[in-house]
Amino acid sequence: RKTRVAVVFGGRSSEHEVSCQSAKSVLPHLDADRFEVVPVGITPQGQWALGTDPNALEAGAGNLPTLRNRTDIVAIEPGQALQDVDVVFPLLHGAWGEDGTIQGLLELGGLPYVGPGVFASAAAMDKIFAKKILQAEGLPVGKFVALDRSATTLTLDEREHLGLPVFVKPSRAGSSVGISKVSDWADLDAAIFEARQHDPKVIIEGAVPNVREIELAVLEFPDGRVEASLPAELRAVADDVEWYDFNAKYVDDTYEADIPAKLDDDITAQLREMAVTAFKALDCQGLSRVDFFLTEQNELIINELNTMPGFTPISMYPKAWEATGMDFGTLLTTLIETAIARGSGLR
Ligand code: ATP
Ligand code: MG
Ligand code: MG
Ligand code: MG
Protein backbone atom coordinates (compact mmCIF):
# COMPACT_ATOMS: atom_id res chain seq x y z
CA ARG A 1 0.00 0.00 0.00
CA LYS A 2 0.97 3.63 -0.37
CA THR A 3 2.82 5.38 2.44
CA ARG A 4 0.27 7.25 4.55
CA VAL A 5 1.55 10.76 5.30
CA ALA A 6 -0.25 12.96 7.82
CA VAL A 7 0.28 16.62 6.94
CA VAL A 8 -0.41 18.56 10.14
CA PHE A 9 -1.11 22.25 9.62
CA GLY A 10 -2.63 25.38 11.18
CA GLY A 11 -1.90 25.37 14.89
CA ARG A 12 -2.01 27.70 17.85
CA SER A 13 0.81 30.07 16.99
CA SER A 14 0.68 33.52 15.41
CA GLU A 15 1.80 31.78 12.21
CA HIS A 16 -1.43 29.75 11.90
CA GLU A 17 -2.32 31.26 8.52
CA VAL A 18 1.20 30.85 7.14
CA SER A 19 1.05 27.16 8.04
CA CYS A 20 -2.34 26.75 6.28
CA GLN A 21 -0.80 28.37 3.20
CA SER A 22 2.21 26.04 3.43
CA ALA A 23 -0.12 23.02 3.53
CA LYS A 24 -2.07 24.34 0.59
CA SER A 25 1.07 24.40 -1.54
CA VAL A 26 2.57 21.12 -0.23
CA LEU A 27 -0.48 18.87 -0.69
CA PRO A 28 -0.77 19.03 -4.50
CA HIS A 29 3.01 18.48 -4.88
CA LEU A 30 3.22 15.23 -2.90
CA ASP A 31 3.78 12.28 -5.26
CA ALA A 32 0.31 10.72 -5.56
CA ASP A 33 1.75 7.42 -6.80
CA ARG A 34 3.65 6.87 -3.57
CA PHE A 35 1.85 8.79 -0.87
CA GLU A 36 -1.65 8.80 0.52
CA VAL A 37 -2.18 12.15 2.23
CA VAL A 38 -4.06 12.52 5.50
CA PRO A 39 -4.60 16.26 6.12
CA VAL A 40 -4.83 17.07 9.83
CA GLY A 41 -5.80 20.62 10.75
CA ILE A 42 -5.26 22.25 14.15
CA THR A 43 -7.43 25.27 14.90
CA PRO A 44 -6.02 28.43 16.56
CA GLN A 45 -7.75 27.17 19.73
CA GLY A 46 -5.84 23.88 19.52
CA GLN A 47 -8.60 21.55 18.36
CA TRP A 48 -7.46 18.78 16.03
CA ALA A 49 -9.63 18.00 13.02
CA LEU A 50 -9.30 15.24 10.45
CA GLY A 51 -9.66 15.65 6.70
CA THR A 52 -9.90 19.45 6.57
CA ASP A 53 -8.91 20.45 3.06
CA PRO A 54 -6.45 23.38 3.22
CA ASN A 55 -7.58 24.32 -0.29
CA ALA A 56 -11.11 24.98 0.92
CA LEU A 57 -10.34 27.45 3.69
CA GLU A 58 -11.53 31.02 4.08
CA ALA A 59 -9.12 33.95 3.89
CA GLY A 60 -7.75 35.21 7.22
CA ALA A 61 -4.86 37.47 8.28
CA GLY A 62 -2.86 38.80 5.33
CA ASN A 63 -5.45 37.17 3.06
CA LEU A 64 -3.91 33.78 3.89
CA PRO A 65 -6.13 30.73 4.49
CA THR A 66 -7.27 30.05 8.06
CA LEU A 67 -9.14 27.58 10.28
CA ARG A 68 -10.18 30.49 12.51
CA ASN A 69 -13.91 30.98 13.16
CA ARG A 70 -14.87 27.58 11.80
CA THR A 71 -17.99 26.24 13.43
CA ASP A 72 -18.09 22.94 11.53
CA ILE A 73 -14.89 21.47 13.03
CA VAL A 74 -15.40 18.10 14.71
CA ALA A 75 -12.56 17.93 17.22
CA ILE A 76 -10.78 14.60 17.71
CA GLU A 77 -7.89 13.36 19.84
CA PRO A 78 -4.40 13.68 18.30
CA GLY A 79 -3.87 9.94 18.67
CA GLN A 80 -7.03 9.26 16.70
CA ALA A 81 -6.07 11.73 13.97
CA LEU A 82 -2.71 9.99 13.54
CA GLN A 83 -4.01 6.44 13.66
CA ASP A 84 -2.75 4.19 10.82
CA VAL A 85 -0.32 6.85 9.65
CA ASP A 86 3.21 5.83 8.57
CA VAL A 87 4.92 9.21 8.85
CA VAL A 88 3.99 12.73 9.93
CA PHE A 89 4.86 16.02 8.24
CA PRO A 90 4.40 18.58 11.04
CA LEU A 91 3.99 21.56 8.74
CA LEU A 92 3.51 23.96 11.66
CA HIS A 93 5.38 27.20 12.19
CA GLY A 94 6.16 28.92 15.50
CA ALA A 95 5.17 27.90 19.03
CA TRP A 96 3.40 24.54 19.56
CA GLY A 97 4.66 23.18 16.27
CA GLU A 98 8.15 24.27 15.27
CA ASP A 99 9.39 24.29 18.87
CA GLY A 100 9.65 20.63 19.84
CA THR A 101 6.19 20.27 21.35
CA ILE A 102 4.50 18.28 18.60
CA GLN A 103 7.82 16.51 18.02
CA GLY A 104 7.58 15.29 21.64
CA LEU A 105 4.07 14.01 21.05
CA LEU A 106 5.23 12.11 17.95
CA GLU A 107 8.23 10.66 19.83
CA LEU A 108 5.88 9.33 22.50
CA GLY A 109 3.67 7.81 19.83
CA GLY A 110 6.66 6.21 18.08
CA LEU A 111 5.85 7.92 14.79
CA PRO A 112 8.58 9.02 12.37
CA TYR A 113 8.28 12.66 11.32
CA VAL A 114 9.82 15.20 8.99
CA GLY A 115 12.31 17.66 10.47
CA PRO A 116 14.46 18.08 13.56
CA GLY A 117 13.77 16.39 16.88
CA VAL A 118 12.63 17.83 20.21
CA PHE A 119 15.89 19.45 21.29
CA ALA A 120 16.90 21.03 17.96
CA SER A 121 13.38 22.31 17.37
CA ALA A 122 13.21 23.91 20.81
CA ALA A 123 16.75 25.31 20.61
CA ALA A 124 16.32 26.84 17.15
CA MET A 125 12.92 28.31 17.97
CA ASP A 126 14.35 30.20 20.93
CA LYS A 127 16.54 32.93 19.43
CA ILE A 128 18.35 33.46 22.75
CA PHE A 129 19.37 29.81 23.15
CA ALA A 130 20.11 29.39 19.44
CA LYS A 131 22.58 32.29 19.55
CA LYS A 132 24.26 30.92 22.68
CA ILE A 133 24.77 27.53 21.05
CA LEU A 134 26.02 29.00 17.76
CA GLN A 135 28.43 31.22 19.69
CA ALA A 136 29.74 28.25 21.65
CA GLU A 137 30.50 26.53 18.33
CA GLY A 138 32.49 29.56 17.22
CA LEU A 139 29.89 30.66 14.68
CA PRO A 140 29.34 34.40 14.13
CA VAL A 141 26.22 35.94 15.68
CA GLY A 142 25.30 39.61 16.11
CA LYS A 143 25.20 41.65 19.32
CA PHE A 144 22.24 40.81 21.51
CA VAL A 145 20.80 41.15 25.00
CA ALA A 146 18.48 38.54 26.47
CA LEU A 147 15.97 40.56 28.45
CA ASP A 148 15.22 39.16 31.87
CA ARG A 149 11.60 37.93 32.10
CA SER A 150 10.93 40.55 34.78
CA ALA A 151 12.74 43.44 33.04
CA THR A 152 10.70 46.02 31.15
CA THR A 153 13.58 47.99 29.65
CA LEU A 154 17.33 47.92 28.92
CA THR A 155 19.93 49.30 31.32
CA LEU A 156 22.15 52.19 30.21
CA ASP A 157 25.08 49.79 29.83
CA GLU A 158 23.01 47.51 27.61
CA ARG A 159 21.90 50.47 25.49
CA GLU A 160 25.49 51.54 25.07
CA HIS A 161 26.55 48.00 24.18
CA LEU A 162 23.91 47.60 21.44
CA GLY A 163 23.66 51.13 20.05
CA LEU A 164 20.73 52.32 17.92
CA PRO A 165 18.81 51.11 16.04
CA VAL A 166 17.87 47.84 17.70
CA PHE A 167 15.49 45.02 16.77
CA VAL A 168 13.17 43.95 19.58
CA LYS A 169 11.86 40.40 19.12
CA PRO A 170 9.83 37.74 20.87
CA SER A 171 12.48 35.06 21.48
CA ARG A 172 10.21 32.31 20.17
CA ALA A 173 8.15 33.39 17.17
CA GLY A 174 8.42 33.76 13.40
CA SER A 175 7.19 35.48 10.23
CA SER A 176 8.43 38.74 11.86
CA VAL A 177 5.35 38.76 14.12
CA GLY A 178 5.88 40.90 17.23
CA ILE A 179 9.20 42.37 15.98
CA SER A 180 9.90 46.12 15.97
CA LYS A 181 12.83 48.15 14.75
CA VAL A 182 13.58 50.87 17.31
CA SER A 183 15.56 53.96 16.26
CA ASP A 184 14.87 56.10 19.33
CA TRP A 185 15.20 54.85 22.93
CA ALA A 186 11.89 56.61 23.66
CA ASP A 187 10.18 53.85 21.64
CA LEU A 188 11.98 50.94 23.32
CA ASP A 189 9.57 50.12 26.13
CA ALA A 190 6.55 50.04 23.80
CA ALA A 191 8.44 47.65 21.50
CA ILE A 192 9.26 45.38 24.45
CA PHE A 193 5.61 45.44 25.48
CA GLU A 194 4.61 44.51 21.92
CA ALA A 195 7.09 41.60 21.75
CA ARG A 196 5.74 40.36 25.12
CA GLN A 197 2.28 40.00 23.59
CA HIS A 198 3.83 36.99 21.81
CA ASP A 199 6.43 35.72 24.25
CA PRO A 200 7.50 36.62 27.81
CA LYS A 201 11.07 35.95 26.62
CA VAL A 202 12.37 38.94 24.65
CA ILE A 203 15.65 39.38 22.77
CA ILE A 204 17.04 42.74 21.71
CA GLU A 205 19.60 42.83 18.92
CA GLY A 206 21.82 45.54 17.54
CA ALA A 207 20.65 46.34 13.99
CA VAL A 208 23.12 45.45 11.26
CA PRO A 209 23.29 48.56 9.02
CA ASN A 210 22.65 48.22 5.27
CA VAL A 211 22.40 44.51 5.71
CA ARG A 212 22.11 42.03 2.84
CA GLU A 213 19.78 39.15 3.74
CA ILE A 214 20.81 35.72 2.54
CA GLU A 215 18.97 32.45 3.20
CA LEU A 216 20.12 28.88 2.59
CA ALA A 217 18.02 25.74 2.60
CA VAL A 218 19.66 22.79 4.37
CA LEU A 219 18.42 19.28 3.63
CA GLU A 220 19.28 15.85 5.03
CA PHE A 221 19.13 12.90 2.65
CA PRO A 222 17.99 9.38 3.63
CA ASP A 223 21.64 8.21 3.80
CA GLY A 224 22.40 10.91 6.40
CA ARG A 225 24.22 13.26 4.04
CA VAL A 226 23.49 16.95 4.80
CA GLU A 227 23.66 19.54 2.01
CA ALA A 228 23.01 23.26 1.70
CA SER A 229 21.31 24.81 -1.32
CA LEU A 230 22.65 27.74 -3.25
CA PRO A 231 22.12 31.01 -1.34
CA ALA A 232 19.02 33.12 -1.98
CA GLU A 233 18.92 36.87 -1.34
CA LEU A 234 15.93 38.94 -0.23
CA ARG A 235 16.15 42.48 -1.50
CA ALA A 236 13.85 45.46 -0.85
CA VAL A 237 12.62 46.97 -4.09
CA ALA A 238 10.85 50.01 -2.63
CA ASP A 239 12.84 52.91 -1.11
CA ASP A 240 10.77 53.36 2.04
CA VAL A 241 11.05 49.71 3.10
CA GLU A 242 13.38 49.20 6.05
CA TRP A 243 13.20 45.55 6.91
CA TYR A 244 11.59 42.23 6.01
CA ASP A 245 8.38 42.40 8.06
CA PHE A 246 5.18 40.31 7.88
CA ASN A 247 3.71 42.44 5.11
CA ALA A 248 6.88 42.21 3.03
CA LYS A 249 6.82 38.43 3.50
CA TYR A 250 3.21 37.71 2.61
CA VAL A 251 1.24 40.81 1.62
CA ASP A 252 3.15 43.51 -0.34
CA ASP A 253 5.51 43.12 -3.27
CA THR A 254 8.17 45.23 -1.55
CA TYR A 255 10.80 42.47 -1.60
CA GLU A 256 12.25 40.48 -4.45
CA ALA A 257 14.37 37.36 -4.31
CA ASP A 258 17.57 36.68 -6.23
CA ILE A 259 17.95 32.93 -6.45
CA PRO A 260 20.78 32.20 -6.54
CA ALA A 261 22.09 35.33 -4.82
CA LYS A 262 24.61 37.40 -6.75
CA LEU A 263 27.66 36.71 -4.60
CA ASP A 264 31.32 35.91 -5.15
CA ASP A 265 32.06 32.20 -5.35
CA ASP A 266 34.15 32.24 -2.18
CA ILE A 267 31.31 33.80 -0.14
CA THR A 268 28.84 31.30 -1.62
CA ALA A 269 31.12 28.42 -0.63
CA GLN A 270 31.60 29.89 2.86
CA LEU A 271 27.82 30.30 3.28
CA ARG A 272 27.11 26.71 2.25
CA GLU A 273 29.70 25.35 4.64
CA MET A 274 28.54 27.58 7.51
CA ALA A 275 24.88 26.66 6.96
CA VAL A 276 25.68 22.95 7.36
CA THR A 277 27.87 23.68 10.41
CA ALA A 278 25.04 25.68 12.04
CA PHE A 279 22.56 22.88 11.24
CA LYS A 280 24.82 20.38 12.98
CA ALA A 281 25.66 22.73 15.87
CA LEU A 282 21.97 22.79 16.83
CA ASP A 283 21.69 19.03 16.23
CA CYS A 284 19.15 19.56 13.44
CA GLN A 285 17.81 16.75 11.30
CA GLY A 286 15.75 16.64 8.12
CA LEU A 287 15.67 20.29 7.18
CA SER A 288 16.25 23.86 8.29
CA ARG A 289 16.48 27.24 6.62
CA VAL A 290 19.50 29.17 7.83
CA ASP A 291 19.10 32.98 7.65
CA PHE A 292 22.29 35.02 7.32
CA PHE A 293 23.18 38.69 7.35
CA LEU A 294 25.99 39.92 5.11
CA THR A 295 27.43 43.16 6.49
CA GLU A 296 28.79 46.15 4.58
CA GLN A 297 32.27 44.82 5.48
CA ASN A 298 31.43 41.48 3.79
CA GLU A 299 31.22 39.70 7.13
CA LEU A 300 28.75 36.89 7.63
CA ILE A 301 26.48 36.73 10.66
CA ILE A 302 23.99 33.96 11.35
CA ASN A 303 20.66 35.58 12.22
CA GLU A 304 18.62 32.45 12.93
CA LEU A 305 17.57 28.93 11.94
CA ASN A 306 14.01 27.98 11.05
CA THR A 307 13.45 24.27 11.52
CA MET A 308 10.11 24.26 9.71
CA PRO A 309 10.41 27.11 7.22
CA GLY A 310 7.54 28.29 5.04
CA PHE A 311 6.43 26.09 2.17
CA THR A 312 4.18 28.62 0.46
CA PRO A 313 4.47 29.17 -3.31
CA ILE A 314 6.76 32.17 -2.67
CA SER A 315 8.78 30.56 0.13
CA MET A 316 12.57 30.51 0.00
CA TYR A 317 13.08 26.91 1.14
CA PRO A 318 11.52 25.17 -1.89
CA LYS A 319 12.66 27.93 -4.26
CA ALA A 320 16.28 27.67 -3.16
CA TRP A 321 16.24 23.91 -3.82
CA GLU A 322 14.58 24.44 -7.18
CA ALA A 323 17.46 26.78 -8.11
CA THR A 324 19.90 24.12 -6.89
CA GLY A 325 18.33 21.54 -9.21
CA MET A 326 15.70 19.80 -7.10
CA ASP A 327 12.02 20.26 -7.94
CA PHE A 328 9.32 20.65 -5.26
CA GLY A 329 7.96 17.10 -5.60
CA THR A 330 11.40 15.48 -5.30
CA LEU A 331 12.20 17.71 -2.31
CA LEU A 332 9.04 16.58 -0.48
CA THR A 333 9.75 12.92 -1.30
CA THR A 334 13.30 13.32 0.06
CA LEU A 335 12.04 14.90 3.30
CA ILE A 336 9.59 12.04 3.85
CA GLU A 337 12.08 9.31 2.92
CA THR A 338 14.66 10.80 5.29
CA ALA A 339 12.07 10.77 8.11
CA ILE A 340 11.23 7.13 7.39
CA ALA A 341 14.90 6.11 7.13
CA ARG A 342 15.56 7.69 10.54
CA GLY A 343 12.63 5.79 12.06
CA SER A 344 11.19 6.29 15.52
CA GLY A 345 14.05 5.39 17.86
CA LEU A 346 16.32 7.71 19.81
CA ARG A 347 18.10 9.84 17.29
P1 ATP B 1 11.15 34.08 9.97
O1 ATP B 1 9.87 34.34 9.23
O2 ATP B 1 12.33 34.02 9.05
O3 ATP B 1 11.06 32.97 10.95
P2 ATP B 1 11.51 35.75 12.38
O4 ATP B 1 10.19 36.22 12.85
O5 ATP B 1 12.13 34.61 13.08
O6 ATP B 1 11.42 35.46 10.80
P3 ATP B 1 13.98 37.33 12.09
O7 ATP B 1 14.37 36.55 10.90
O8 ATP B 1 14.85 37.22 13.27
O9 ATP B 1 12.47 37.03 12.48
O10 ATP B 1 13.88 38.87 11.70
C1 ATP B 1 12.96 39.32 10.73
C2 ATP B 1 13.58 40.38 9.85
O11 ATP B 1 13.93 41.53 10.64
C3 ATP B 1 14.87 39.99 9.18
O12 ATP B 1 14.65 39.22 8.03
C4 ATP B 1 15.48 41.36 8.90
O13 ATP B 1 14.83 42.00 7.81
C5 ATP B 1 15.12 42.14 10.15
N1 ATP B 1 16.16 42.01 11.19
C6 ATP B 1 16.09 41.21 12.26
N2 ATP B 1 17.17 41.32 13.05
C7 ATP B 1 17.96 42.23 12.46
C8 ATP B 1 19.24 42.80 12.80
N3 ATP B 1 19.88 42.43 13.92
N4 ATP B 1 19.77 43.72 11.94
C9 ATP B 1 19.11 44.08 10.81
N5 ATP B 1 17.91 43.58 10.44
C10 ATP B 1 17.32 42.68 11.25
MG1 MG C 1 12.53 32.70 12.36
MG1 MG D 1 10.27 31.09 11.00
MG1 MG E 1 14.12 35.00 9.59
Side-chain angles (χ1 to χ4, degrees), residues 127 175-176 213 215 244 249 289 291 303-304 306:
K127 294 185 197 298
S175 291
S176 299
E213 297 203 49
E215 302 187 348
Y244 195 35
K249 283 176 184 173
R289 197 191 71 223
D291 295 355
N303 173 33
E304 62 148 357
N306 292 280

Side-chain angles (χ1 to χ4, degrees), residues 140-141 214 267 270-271 274 292-295 298-302:
V141 302
I214 317 283
I267 293 196
Q270 208 186 328
L271 279 161
M274 219 186 256
F292 289 87
F293 293 147
L294 182 60
T295 71
N298 260 355
E299 285 160 356
L300 291 174
I301 290 175
I302 300 178

Side-chain angles (χ1 to χ4, degrees), residues 91-114:
L91 199 50
L92 298 160
H93 311 307
W96 310 292
E98 196 178 354
D99 63 350
T101 50
I102 192 172
Q103 289 76 11
L105 178 79
L106 299 173
E107 295 285 347
L108 287 171
L111 273 171
Y113 54 91
V114 172

Side-chain angles (χ1 to χ4, degrees), residues 20-330:
C20 292
Q21 180 74 9
S22 288
K24 199 172 154 176
S25 76
V26 161
L27 257 48
H29 287 95
L30 284 165
D31 184 351
D33 293 334
R34 314 178 51 158
F35 303 121
E36 187 188 326
V37 182
V38 181
V40 178
I42 302 178
T43 68
Q45 293 75 33
Q47 290 182 317
W48 290 50
L50 202 54
T52 350
D53 179 0
N55 288 295
L57 300 182
E58 286 168 33
N63 221 16
L64 298 167
T66 185
L67 286 165
R68 218 173 284 278
N69 305 324
R70 288 280 290 260
T71 49
D72 58 327
I73 299 272
V74 182
I76 59 170
E77 292 301 317
Q80 199 187 337
L82 301 175
Q83 224 173 1
D84 303 325
V85 156
D86 299 308
V87 57
V88 178
F89 196 151
L91 199 50
L92 298 160
H93 311 307
W96 310 292
E98 196 178 354
D99 63 350
T101 50
I102 192 172
Q103 289 76 11
L105 178 79
L106 299 173
E107 295 285 347
L108 287 171
L111 273 171
Y113 54 91
V114 172
V118 173
F119 175 78
S121 299
M125 185 85 263
D126 188 325
K127 294 185 197 298
I128 295 168
F129 274 111
K131 282 185 165 59
K132 287 180 180 174
I133 294 170
L134 294 171
Q135 258 177 344
E137 291 287 325
L139 289 160
V141 302
K143 276 188 196 174
F144 71 97
V145 169
L147 200 69
D148 201 86
R149 270 193 175 84
S150 59
T152 53
T153 194
L154 288 174
T155 65
L156 288 176
D157 282 351
E158 288 166 337
R159 291 177 196 214
E160 204 176 321
H161 169 65
L162 296 174
L164 280 171
V166 290
F167 277 85
V168 180
K169 311 178 179 181
S171 194
R172 299 162 296 184
S175 291
S176 299
V177 176
I179 299 182
S180 310
K181 181 179 181 179
V182 170
S183 304
D184 183 334
W185 292 125
D187 300 326
L188 176 69
D189 297 3
I192 293 171
F193 183 83
E194 170 59 24
R196 284 246 164 83
Q197 302 304 303
H198 301 275
D199 190 348
K201 288 188 79 175
V202 171
I203 180 170
I204 306 181
E205 302 177 10
V208 179
N210 298 319
V211 69
R212 284 179 74 182
E213 297 203 49
I214 317 283
E215 302 187 348
L216 279 85
V218 180
L219 174 64
E220 182 192 0
F221 290 82
D223 64 3
R225 199 162 33 97
V226 175
E227 280 183 25
S229 71
L230 289 169
E233 176 165 11
L234 281 316
R235 198 168 31 75
V237 285
D239 287 341
D240 54 342
V241 181
E242 284 194 54
W243 61 285
Y244 195 35
D245 64 5
F246 183 88
N247 281 335
K249 283 176 184 173
Y250 307 108
V251 185
D252 305 324
D253 294 319
T254 48
Y255 269 75
E256 272 178 6
D258 290 329
I259 320 175
K262 297 182 183 87
L263 295 166
D264 291 345
D265 288 348
D266 58 325
I267 293 196
T268 295
Q270 208 186 328
L271 279 161
R272 293 181 91 172
E273 198 189 310
M274 219 186 256
V276 172
T277 306
F279 181 94
K280 291 183 175 172
L282 286 178
D283 203 19
C284 287
Q285 290 172 305
L287 80 160
S288 271
R289 197 191 71 223
V290 188
D291 295 355
F292 289 87
F293 293 147
L294 182 60
T295 71
E296 283 174 307
Q297 292 78 32
N298 260 355
E299 285 160 356
L300 291 174
I301 290 175
I302 300 178
N303 173 33
E304 62 148 357
L305 277 83
N306 292 280
T307 54
M308 192 50 75
F311 275 86
T312 73
I314 53 161
S315 289
M316 286 305 115
Y317 192 87
K319 280 194 150 187
W321 274 113
E322 204 177 284
T324 313
M326 188 184 294
D327 66 64
F328 201 3
T330 310

